[in-house]
Amino acid sequence: MSLMNTYGERTTTLVKGEGAYVWDADGKRYLDALSGIAVCGLGHCHPAVTEAVSQQAQTLVHVSNLYLVEPQVQLAERLVELSGMDCVFFSNSGAEANEAAIKIARKYGNDKGISAPHIITAESSFHGRTMATLTATGNDKVKAGFTPLVEGFSHVPFNDIAAIEAAATTNTVAVMVEPIQGEGGVHVPDADYLNNLRALCDNKGWLLILDEIQTGNGRTGSFFAYQQSAIKPDVVTTAKGLANGLPLGACLAQGAAATVLQPGNHGSTFGGNPIACAAGLATVNTIVEQNLCDQAAKLGDYFLKHFKEALGNNTHVTDIRGKGLMLGIELDKPCTELVATANQRQLLINVTAGNTLRLLPPLTLTEAQADDIIATVVDLINEFYA
């Protein structure tokens, strides 16, 4: 195998996708309840995205970001309109979008005379695998072997405002959290968490950075998860579902944070590529025009209701939680082998945090497909403990 072994053994070769299904090289069909880890929100090979990519590939594939390109400008305007933020920096990935957010926070501090800016993040968080985002991540397992890490980060328990206050120093410039933790095990905070976090940051003069790499683009029932609270962050990042499979990340800022980065402070050769932005614009417009945020909210409630009915009496199931189509079923012991077992049943799922079965199906999923996922997952868990 000529591929570097960073993902473990991979035995399934996927060659084709359509809607909620993918096919392997032997022609076997799988129901994809993972969507490329929350990437293909519209399902695989959505016609609107395919058409946008095809048209753009025949028009303009790449130019330097020293020049404006129409799809990038159009997508930025659409995201600003939907988010209420002021402006956007485009990158190739979620980690790069978070790097931009961290650089905004650090320069925000430096501009105020703080030479060693300090950012508070949450335990069990995940912000990426570049060195700064790896350091921001609250998971020691993914950091092992990569010291020395970047200075200037502290980690506190998620959903704990008092812990943030206790960890603050005179150099603190920002708090960076996910509205719902994904990789950490699909943890949904208290309903007033973001409101209290916003009030604390306003009181202290800190930036509030929300990592919506996974929760953005309709996944939790609104375009951004923070829109289900009464607040607006200073900086919000997103990526995964933004271009339905094309590599694209975005760092949006508003207020004082929007003017921190000036010419020469940051950049990207490929970020905001015309094809990726054309795909992003088609994806965002489809999410809005087809009311897929509402669809995600309704289907999420449907999943939770039926999982709780079917598994509520299983004493090995310690929690069933989620919001929209970001769902987790926590078991009382490690269960990573369920991924392979599900694969044998032609269902693609994920296990995160070692013991939490995670589902991130496309927003376009039908109720019949949801029923298939529910039936298979319930069988998998019951048989796991038989």
Side-chain angles (χ1 to χ4, degrees):
M1 174 63 79
S2 55
L3 294 171
M4 194 172 288
N5 185 24
T6 60
Y7 297 97
E9 184 181 12
R10 289 175 283 179
T11 58
T12 302
T13 300
L14 299 177
V15 298
K16 172 186 169 185
E18 182 179 346
Y21 296 100
V22 291
W23 284 258
D24 69 15
D26 296 322
K28 187 186 293 184
R29 190 180 77 167
Y30 300 79
L31 181 53
D32 188 358
L34 194 55
S35 306
I37 310 185
V39 168
C40 297
L42 303 184
H44 295 279
C45 300
H46 190 281
V49 178
T50 300
E51 174 65 18
V53 168
S54 176
Q55 286 294 325
Q56 190 60 45
Q58 297 174 61
T59 306
L60 183 67
V61 173
H62 174 79
V63 292
S64 166
N65 275 315
L66 296 173
Y67 307 95
L68 293 172
V69 292
E70 289 181 349
Q72 188 184 109
V73 173
Q74 292 167 350
L75 179 58
E77 290 174 347
R78 193 72 167 115
L79 289 173
V80 164
E81 174 191 1
L82 289 168
S83 66
M85 306 297 279
D86 292 343
C87 55
V88 186
F89 176 85
F90 286 114
S91 58
N92 302 288
S93 68
E96 289 182 41
N98 283 337
E99 284 278 348
I102 291 167
K103 289 180 74 173
I104 288 173
R106 285 196 161 197
K107 191 166 185 303
Y108 173 77
N110 273 276
D111 290 348
K112 295 201 306 181
I114 299 172
S115 59
H118 170 241
I119 299 172
I120 299 172
T121 68
E123 296 172 0
S124 300
S125 61
F126 186 84
H127 298 292
R129 294 183 185 273
T130 60
M131 287 309 297
T133 59
L134 185 71
T135 309
T137 292
N139 180 344
D140 290 340
K141 183 179 176 182
V142 301
K143 299 178 186 179
F146 297 110
T147 54
L149 299 174
V150 178
E151 295 180 349
F153 292 90
S154 292
H155 303 86
V156 300
F158 184 57
N159 195 26
D160 189 337
I161 297 295
I164 293 173
E165 292 182 283
T169 73
T170 54
N171 287 341
T172 300
V173 296
V175 177
M176 180 176 186
V177 299
E178 300 154 278
I180 299 171
Q181 291 189 330
E183 289 292 321
V186 191
H187 295 293
V188 183
D190 295 340
D192 60 355
Y193 179 58
L194 292 185
N195 295 332
N196 291 335
L197 199 48
R198 176 73 274 175
L200 177 64
C201 288
D202 286 343
N203 183 44
K204 300 290 188 181
W206 303 336
L207 297 182
L208 174 57
I209 301 171
L210 295 184
D211 176 343
E212 296 229 24
I213 303 303
Q214 190 168 139
T215 55
N217 310 295
R219 177 138 305 268
T220 70
S222 53
F223 195 83
F224 287 105
Y226 72 81
Q227 292 170 323
Q228 297 174 46
S229 66
I231 65 102
K232 191 163 61 175
D234 298 293
V235 180
V236 61
T237 58
T238 192
K240 289 182 179 295
L242 180 56
N244 210 56
L246 276 289
L248 183 63
C251 175
L252 296 87
Q254 61 102 9
T259 58
V260 168
L261 296 181
Q262 294 296 313
N265 290 149
H266 196 48
S268 171
T269 296
F270 293 108
N273 170 272
I275 294 177
C277 285
L281 188 62
T283 300
V284 170
N285 285 338
T286 301
I287 291 171
V288 174
E289 291 164 4
Q290 297 187 3
N291 296 317
L292 293 180
C293 297
D294 291 344
Q295 167 88 345
K298 291 174 184 174
L299 271 177
D301 291 343
Y302 184 83
F303 269 110
L304 290 175
K305 174 178 181 289
H306 287 274
F307 277 137
K308 288 177 179 177
E309 287 176 355
L311 296 169
N313 293 326
N314 187 325
T315 57
H316 298 289
V317 176
T318 58
D319 197 15
I320 299 169
R321 55 181 178 256
K323 187 174 281 290
L325 289 176
M326 191 170 175
L327 303 156
I329 302 173
E330 184 176 332
L331 306 184
D332 63 1
K333 67 177 183 180
C335 59
T336 53
E337 59 261 54
L338 285 179
V339 174
T341 310
N343 192 290
Q344 293 168 3
R345 308 279 180 90
Q346 296 171 236
L347 176 68
L348 303 187
I349 63 169
N350 173 243
V351 168
T352 190
N355 66 343
T356 302
L357 193 154
R358 179 170 56 160
L359 301 175
L360 300 161
L363 316 184
T364 52
L365 197 75
T366 67
E367 196 167 289
Q369 290 166 339
D371 288 337
D372 288 344
I373 293 171
I374 291 165
T376 303
V377 167
V378 168
D379 285 347
L380 286 171
I381 292 173
N382 287 333
E383 292 168 14
F384 184 58
Y385 287 102

